[in-house]
Amino acid sequence: LRGLDALLDVNDIRSGEFPKQIFRNIDRVRNVLVVLSPGALDDRIGNPDDWMRKEISHSFAKSKNVIPIFLEGFDFKQCTPLPPGMEQLDQQQGVHHHADNWDATFAKITTYLKD
């Protein structure tokens, strides 16, 4: 992706143990992007077995640079309080993405990445 190493689990993880692959990939990177669409956390964050929750919690536990990408209509007010391990998510500086302006979103994301 424009010279950056990116993983999208639904495209890049093949056969083998999903949990090990996800956590190994989070462990090897410095930055973790979390795409938050409207309702993305509403039904999920109450379930400790939810993979999105596990990935976010693992990222914070490993001191990763977590960058939320807010899609139009996302609102933290609909999913508070955040559960243990995710409490920091609503304190992270994020990027507001608008569907018609991907280039601006990508440019902003790159300024938040840490080497």
Side-chain angles (χ1 to χ4, degrees):
L1 180 65
R2 295 188 187 186
L4 299 171
D5 180 17
L7 166 86
L8 180 59
D9 59 2
V10 296
N11 290 338
D12 298 325
I13 292 182
R14 303 288 184 231
S15 63
E17 294 182 57
F18 180 80
K20 286 182 181 179
Q21 291 185 63
I22 286 291
F23 294 137
R24 184 175 49 241
N25 277 290
I26 291 171
D27 291 347
R28 74 175 181 80
V29 300
R30 174 94 170 124
N31 303 282
V32 175
L33 305 180
V34 178
V35 179
L36 298 170
S37 61
L41 301 179
D42 298 358
D43 298 329
R44 303 176 79 160
I45 62 170
N47 179 1
D49 293 325
D50 179 77
W51 273 102
M52 185 174 196
R53 178 176 169 175
K54 287 181 179 185
E55 292 170 26
I56 293 168
S57 296
H58 185 80
S59 298
F60 283 122
K62 296 294 183 167
S63 300
K64 300 301 176 177
N65 179 37
V66 176
I67 305 167
I69 310 302
F70 306 112
L71 302 186
E72 290 182 73
F74 177 81
D75 188 348
F76 272 115
K77 293 176 189 168
Q78 298 170 343
C79 52
T80 54
L82 293 170
M86 290 180 59
E87 309 96 300
Q88 302 170 42
L89 185 60
D90 65 348
Q91 302 300 310
Q92 304 304 305
Q93 181 70 358
V95 176
H96 293 271
H97 171 67
H98 299 283
D100 61 347
N101 207 351
W102 174 246
D103 288 335
T105 299
F106 189 79
K108 187 70 166 181
I109 291 168
T110 59
T111 68
Y112 289 5
L113 297 175
K114 294 184 179 179
D115 295 327

